[in-house]
Amino acid sequence: MTEVALPGVGMTRFTSADDRPLVDLAATACWRCLDDAGLDRADVTSLHAGTALAEALGQQSGLANALAGALRIEGVAADRVENTSATGATAVHRGIEAVASGASEVALVVGADRMSAADTSAVTDAISRLTHSREYAQGLTLPSFAGLAAGAYLDRYDAPREALAAVAAKNHRNAVANEVAQFRREVSVDEALDSPVVAEPLRLYDCCPMSDGAAAIVVTRTDSVADTDHAVRVAAHASATGTHPVAERPDPLAIDSVRVAGERLFDAAGVAPGDVRSPNSLALADFDGVGLIAQVDGEAAVGDRVAFAGAFRLRNGDEERQPRLRVVEHGENEDER
């Protein structure tokens, strides 16, 4: 298979309500992506457009064809991808596969949705229909399931509610300097704790907002990339499905599809989790199964134990303990870029 790389990306700003049609949002992200990659529209040989809610919210059908027309790249191979909350990732898979197989020289991949086209109840219902029909009929929605799962998580690991609120505070802090972020102001842990309840124990700042926006990447052969320092080489990609009805999962808090996809990914890349190292990294950490984001100072590998410098402790019965975290995944610290 041909080695592939991602030489360019582009995004719109994400907002609560963007008046532009969905195809215009997608086109804006695509133009910015091609500009970032130093490519022209004439270079594109395939288009892979992902949207999860266009038809459900009565906005657009045939997005791929409409977008090809808007970009003036008629004649290229174009397809529309829908895979619920994995729509964007699946579109990326299709683009990588097209280039790696030799079917396409330059694949333009875009994901776009315009959730402001309907009210909150309609959007919640549309998203919740990805659940199993039996569970949907019993009133299960994604917010309610997330609340049930979060409550079970906190109970199982005797974790404080502040652990979730700290994630919301971190997310808002990261958004302040992000020009395309929807909400660019800091939120304290106390504000997150005091925000309105959505699905107990989850509150407003624990939940993602309704958003309008689009993001695009371009995929091409590694040997055709002019600026190799700017491009990201794809070492491997993988995906997996899980048990559809939540009630049939051996453990409702375990997402086996993530584990299976991870195993496939490392196997395809020819590396082990312990091989992943990154200095001054942001690490997805685990303490007795409780997922937290921790800043790792210096070099740490997946599986290392590191101290968590958080502002709270976890209680086990009457005993308070300073968390010790197991690093399970790494990502680059944006402050170091």
Side-chain angles (χ1 to χ4, degrees):
M1 299 289 281
T2 302
E3 289 190 355
V4 302
L6 315 177
V9 298
M11 297 177 70
T12 66
R13 182 179 178 185
F14 285 77
T15 67
S16 300
D18 194 309
D19 294 334
R20 289 175 290 177
L22 182 64
V23 68
D24 289 355
L25 278 175
T28 298
C30 288
W31 288 126
R32 292 175 179 175
C33 175
L34 291 172
D35 182 66
D36 185 53
L39 296 172
D40 186 80
R41 61 185 177 86
D43 297 316
V44 177
T45 54
S46 68
L47 174 65
H48 310 272
T51 179
L53 299 172
E55 288 88 357
L57 302 183
Q59 302 173 78
Q60 175 86 52
S61 60
L63 177 62
N65 288 337
L67 181 57
L71 297 173
R72 304 188 302 281
I73 55 173
E74 294 92 341
V76 303
D79 55 59
R80 180 271 173 97
V81 178
E82 188 280 319
N83 194 16
T84 64
S85 51
T87 293
T90 304
V92 172
H93 280 298
R94 299 294 84 82
I96 292 173
E97 289 165 352
V99 174
S101 67
S104 177
E105 292 287 325
V106 176
L108 182 58
V109 180
V110 62
D113 264 306
R114 187 169 171 269
M115 302 176 78
S116 66
D119 60 28
T120 302
S121 61
V123 173
T124 300
D125 182 69
I127 294 174
S128 296
R129 287 183 180 273
L130 66 85
T131 61
H132 193 277
S133 58
R134 294 196 306 269
E135 294 173 333
Y136 175 82
Q138 294 170 3
L140 184 70
T141 65
L142 290 193
S144 65
F145 171 66
L148 291 170
Y153 212 72
L154 296 180
D155 289 343
R156 178 182 296 184
Y157 300 105
D158 197 20
R161 180 63 188 78
E162 289 82 357
L164 294 180
V167 175
K170 178 268 301 177
N171 290 345
H172 277 265
R173 185 168 59 252
N174 289 344
V176 172
N178 185 345
E179 294 181 353
V180 299
Q182 185 166 349
F183 300 115
R184 298 181 62 188
R185 75 173 186 88
E186 291 200 35
V187 170
S188 68
V189 170
D190 287 340
E191 285 180 284
L193 289 171
D194 292 339
S195 61
V197 173
V198 174
E200 186 65 37
L202 298 180
R203 286 166 167 73
L204 180 66
Y205 290 121
D206 297 312
C207 302
C208 60
M210 290 174 55
S211 301
D212 295 353
I217 65 168
V218 65
V219 185
T220 189
R221 300 194 322 271
T222 302
D223 59 14
S224 68
V225 175
D227 186 356
T228 55
D229 291 335
H230 179 71
V232 174
R233 185 178 68 85
V234 178
H237 64 109
S239 63
T241 54
T243 304
H244 192 190
V246 176
E248 294 181 6
R249 293 181 185 176
D251 182 349
L253 298 184
I255 307 177
D256 284 341
S257 57
V258 174
R259 176 186 56 79
V260 172
E263 291 172 351
R264 292 174 181 170
L265 183 71
F266 282 112
D267 183 63
V271 298
D275 296 328
V276 179
R277 288 186 173 271
S278 176
N280 298 317
S281 65
L282 284 176
L284 176 61
D286 175 274
F287 173 68
D288 293 342
V290 179
L292 299 168
I293 298 296
Q295 177 69 45
V296 179
D297 295 324
E299 190 176 77
V302 174
D304 286 353
R305 305 292 293 191
V306 297
F308 178 64
F312 56 86
R313 294 172 177 267
L314 300 186
R315 177 176 293 279
N316 181 16
D318 294 329
E319 178 187 0
E320 283 194 349
R321 296 174 294 166
Q322 179 71 27
R324 297 287 297 176
L325 302 177
R326 179 169 58 84
V327 180
V328 295
E329 183 178 321
H330 282 275
E332 183 181 7
N333 185 346
E334 292 191 2
D335 291 338
E336 298 296 322
R337 291 182 182 176

